[in-house]
Amino acid sequence: MSPGRCLLVLATMVSAMTAVPAHAETIQITMDRLAFSPKEVNASVGDTIEWINNDFLAHTGTARNGDWDVAVPAEKTVTLVLKKPGTIEYYCRYHPNMTGRIVVAPK
Ligand SMILES: [Cu+2]
């Protein structure tokens, strides 16, 4: 890679990084063999949950308080940005035995 091109790549990376607030994280929750893993995660407002479905079945991440309802087709990944603080119990609408909890701290 030429020095000029290298600088351009670096500048692009830096601007991409600064576009996201420093504290925002991406947290992965896997759906695997009819279970969420990890079952409980700690997050902050502004963080992104990446729902990774490793099963051959569709799942959902459905908040019991109605804050969000994420449909995740088989073998797909869907993202959700957490906008409200609180302790959110969630489950899968198709498999109600699949449950988990996300504790969302205020920003
Ligand atoms: Cu399910």
Side-chain angles (χ1 to χ4, degrees):
M1 195 184 289
S2 73
R5 170 125 182 85
C6 187
L7 263 180
L8 181 68
V9 169
L10 199 64
T12 307
M13 280 168 63
V14 168
S15 64
M17 280 158 65
T18 51
V20 178
H23 65 271
E25 285 182 56
T26 298
I27 297 159
Q28 297 183 329
I29 298 177
T30 302
M31 298 150 152
D32 198 7
R33 284 165 290 170
L34 299 170
F36 294 108
S37 175
K39 227 172 137 60
E40 175 157 349
V41 298
N42 291 299
S44 299
V45 170
D47 286 354
T48 298
I49 300 292
E50 212 168 71
W51 304 90
I52 302 167
N53 186 353
N54 285 339
D55 279 335
F56 295 100
L57 301 158
H59 294 301
T60 72
T62 304
R64 290 199 196 278
N65 69 0
D67 270 5
W68 33 259
D69 183 12
V70 182
V72 191
E75 301 183 291
K76 298 278 185 229
T77 297
V78 175
T79 58
L80 164 78
V81 177
L82 299 168
K83 299 195 170 121
K84 286 206 270 173
T87 298
I88 321 282
E89 309 277 349
Y90 67 88
Y91 65 105
C92 170
R93 275 188 281 120
Y94 307 132
H95 314 100
N97 288 338
M98 289 176 69
T99 60
R101 179 187 297 153
I102 302 176
V103 180
V104 188
K107 210 177 273 194

